[in-house]
């Protein structure tokens, strides 16, 4: 590669702090073709302002997570094309993108909170029983 990307190796003591100091975060879902599934991976990255390089489980609706909030790795023909794209992003674009992610995360904070998810799950269990 013309610009070698630095990668973190080792035990992570504080994920948020690590991501806050990272330009990008590879956050691929470990389940495919499961509509509605979005794990913490992308949310952690967004909240920290680390641009998510995301491989979603399904086609996420724009109103839930706008496409401008992540790089959809599944849309690239191969990893070389993805890395070429990442290398083309300027430092200013990365800073602007990171700031936009942090602001976006503030608007979604309550919606994606553990309390909210717990309430949804409890309500669904009540409805199912």
């Amino acid at each position: 590669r013309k610009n070698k990307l630095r990668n973190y190796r080792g035990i992570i003591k504080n994920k948020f702090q690590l991501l806050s100091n990272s330009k990008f975060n590879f956050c691929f879902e470990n389940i495919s073709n499961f509509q509605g599934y979005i794990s913490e991976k992308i949310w952690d990255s967004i909240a920290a302002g680390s641009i998510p390089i995301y491989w979603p489980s399904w086609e996420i609706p724009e109103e839930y997570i706008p496409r401008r909030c992540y790089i959809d790795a599944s849309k690239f023909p191969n990893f070389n094309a993805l890395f070429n794209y990442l290398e083309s992003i300027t430092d200013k674009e990365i800073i602007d993108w990171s700031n936009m992610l942090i602001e976006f995360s503030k608007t979604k904070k309550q919606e994606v909170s553990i309390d909210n998810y717990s309430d949804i799950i409890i309500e669904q269990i009540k409805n199912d029983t």
Side-chain angles (χ1 to χ4, degrees), residues 15-26:
K15 184 177 181 181
F16 184 81
Q17 184 177 24
L18 175 72
L19 290 175
S20 294
N21 292 311
S22 302
K23 293 178 182 179
F24 302 105
N25 178 35
F26 283 85

Side-chain angles (χ1 to χ4, degrees), residues 29 31-35 37-38 54-60:
E29 293 297 358
I31 295 175
S32 62
N33 299 318
F34 193 84
Q35 187 167 341
Y37 182 81
I38 301 174
Y54 187 58
W55 197 298
S57 173
W58 61 303
E59 193 69 34
I60 298 171

Side-chain angles (χ1 to χ4, degrees), residues 1 3-10 12 18 21-26 53 83 86:
R1 309 231 40 93
N3 296 319
K4 191 161 179 132
L5 296 174
R6 288 183 24 233
N7 296 303
Y8 183 84
R9 291 191 173 115
I12 298 171
L18 175 72
N21 292 311
S22 302
K23 293 178 182 179
F24 302 105
N25 178 35
F26 283 85
I53 302 165
F83 282 112
L86 296 178

Side-chain angles (χ1 to χ4, degrees), residues 28-47:
F28 292 12
E29 293 297 358
N30 50 5
I31 295 175
S32 62
N33 299 318
F34 193 84
Q35 187 167 341
Y37 182 81
I38 301 174
S39 71
E40 82 292 346
K41 294 171 184 72
I42 191 167
W43 296 115
D44 290 345
S45 190
I46 289 171

